Structures are given as C-alpha cells and as structure tokens.
Amino acid sequence: MQLQRDGGVATIVLDRPGTKNALDVEMTDELTACLRDLQRDEDVKALVLTGAGGDFCAGGDVKGMGRSGPRNPEQRRAAMTRYRELTLALLGLDKPLVAALDGVAYGAGMSMALTADIVLVSSRVRLAMVFHRIGLVPDLGAWYTLPRVVGLQRAKELVFSAREVGAEEALRMGLALEVLAPEALLPRAQAIAQSFAGASATAMSLSKKALQASLQSELPTMLDLEALAQPIAAGSEYAAEAVRRFAAKEPAQFRWPSA
C-alpha cells in the first residue's frame, strides 16, 4: 500500500503486484490503521482510494487462503473481525472519500467502493459481487451499503447472480458518478478531493454524518439534526470568511471542479 499527500488530500493506493491488489491480512490491517490515522489528522481534508497496476481490488486473497490450508472457525472469525474493523474505519470517516476504480473491483473490492462518498470509474472497469461464485456471502459491509446505493431488488440481483457490471451500467445504477478514460481517472478523483479540501471541514463532516443517518431516520429526526447542525456550521471561522468573501465579491474558497 502506498500513501501520497498533496496539500489537504491523502491518496491511498492499494498495491499488491501480481494479485490485482487482493486484500490479504497485512494489507487489511495496514489499510485500517492508515484510515484511522488519516481520520485523526486535521491537516487531511479529503481522501482518494485507488489501486495500482490498472486494477482497483480483486477482493479477498482467495488464492492465498487456499495456500494456507483449511482454517478453523476461530481463524475465520478473526479474519471477519479484521474486515469489520476495516469497514468501520471506512464508514467512520467524517471526511470525504473519493474512490477511483480501474480494472477489476470484485468482491471485497466492490464492497470497499460502496463505502465511498464519490465513486469514479474508468471505461474499462468491471465490478462484481462475486461471493456466490465460491459459496461465500458478501462482506465488508456490502449487505448494508449495496441496497442503499442501488435499491433492494437490484442489490439482490447483483448478489444472487454474482454477475459482472461494466462502466456504463454502473453509471446507470448509481454505482458510479462519472465514467472516465483510464488516464483521466486519478487526476479527476484528486481534483474533486482537492475541491473538498477547500470546503468547510465542519459543514462537510456534519452533512456526511447526517446523510448517512438519513435512510434509517424519519423526517422529524432529520429536521432536529438540521436545527442542531446549522448553528455549528454557521459559527465556524470558515462560514464567517465565506460571508466576507461573498460580500466583497471575492472568489469562493470552495468550488466543484468542472468535468
């Protein structure tokens, strides 16, 4: 795994050559620890998650599991505890996470992508909930995230069939926000992340947490949360500077980059 920093943006690159960046024990633990460190780092305002070598992530390291021999229930439970911690680290980020998917995003790789706030894909991307092909069930939180992204019936179809989804279908389903040429994928992801780095960290964190809670909350609850959050956002130094800039007709600190 590689970690690159540019201003307020941290780019995490999954990098296991020869495995299409499949998750093994070491990379799972390293990624979880990295996400927790970045969450605590006040200088980091946004994150990009991508893969090296033309692929995002092939999922769990199934070949490595096979080479290690049969595992007892305790060993399997330990492995799932690792995935639980990684899932919580991903979904627990209160900073924007942009995923840039090229090549394969299979199994746990697709599950990781579902935890991102913004998902960009290359024109050659291939996504699949492949778990049923090998007699397993989705992990890394996909039972929770997938229905929230594509709806319940479509989520069932993707899980039950274990079929592959290409770039344009991913766009139509809402699995991806944009489809880009492979060479344009990472620069676009980093441009979006850099724009987030210029936004209010307070407002971004409040909005992210509220939106994540919205699908299991009722309207009165969300209105109460809104009433609590807005005074916090409005009282920030960022908001005061934004109002000053607006009144002075100066450029805004935050602007979404054009495609």
Side-chain angles (χ1 to χ4, degrees):
M1 196 192 80
Q2 305 171 32
L3 177 61
Q4 304 162 3
R5 293 173 181 261
D6 182 12
V9 174
T11 300
I12 301 171
V13 184
L14 306 177
D15 189 7
R16 285 193 68 217
T19 70
K20 296 185 183 296
N21 307 320
L23 285 172
D24 62 359
V25 169
E26 289 75 16
M27 188 157 75
T28 300
D29 289 347
E30 186 180 4
L31 180 54
T32 301
C34 179
L35 289 165
R36 288 173 173 165
D37 288 344
L38 294 174
Q39 168 63 20
R40 291 189 293 264
D41 191 336
E42 294 183 359
D43 292 331
V44 174
K45 307 300 182 184
L47 289 77
V48 174
L49 180 62
T50 191
D55 288 295
F56 180 64
C57 175
D61 189 0
V62 177
K63 290 183 180 179
M65 296 174 195
R67 287 192 297 269
S68 64
R71 294 187 294 172
N72 61 39
E74 289 75 15
Q75 290 171 320
R76 294 182 184 279
R77 183 170 177 81
M80 292 313 299
T81 298
R82 279 191 164 87
Y83 270 19
R84 173 187 174 88
E85 293 305 310
L86 176 54
T87 304
L88 292 174
L90 285 162
L91 289 175
L93 288 169
D94 64 0
K95 306 171 184 186
L97 174 62
V98 182
L101 278 55
D102 194 12
V104 299
Y106 279 2
M110 182 173 174
S111 298
M112 274 197 294
L114 291 166
T115 68
D117 302 296
I118 301 291
V119 178
L120 308 180
V121 300
S122 80
S123 55
R124 63 188 180 190
V125 79
R126 292 175 289 145
L127 302 95
M129 288 270 109
V130 295
F131 302 95
H132 282 191
R133 294 186 193 177
I134 54 174
L136 299 179
V137 299
D139 51 27
L140 259 176
W143 274 347
Y144 176 87
T145 54
L146 185 60
R148 286 164 168 76
V149 174
V150 301
L152 182 57
Q153 181 169 244
R154 179 61 72 188
K156 289 179 179 179
E157 185 262 335
L158 291 173
V159 171
F160 295 170
S161 69
R163 71 178 179 87
E164 194 173 271
V165 174
E168 292 303 326
E169 187 177 10
L171 185 66
R172 292 194 300 272
M173 283 187 192
L175 287 167
L177 182 68
E178 296 177 10
V179 176
L180 299 120
E183 64 274 12
L185 179 65
L186 185 56
R188 175 62 174 163
Q190 290 176 326
I192 291 174
Q194 285 289 357
S195 77
F196 286 143
S200 165
T202 300
M204 195 66 68
S205 173
L206 290 167
S207 287
K208 179 168 177 172
K209 289 179 179 178
L211 287 167
Q212 286 176 328
S214 66
L215 292 180
Q216 56 251 35
S217 300
E218 296 180 348
L219 176 60
T221 300
M222 296 308 299
L223 291 175
D224 288 343
L225 184 57
E226 177 184 302
L228 291 170
Q230 193 68 290
I232 296 172
S236 69
E237 292 182 3
Y238 185 101
E241 172 64 11
V243 170
R244 187 200 67 76
R245 285 173 178 249
F246 181 81
K249 298 184 179 180
E250 296 178 6
Q253 293 166 274
F254 171 64
R255 180 173 296 175
W256 182 268
S258 59

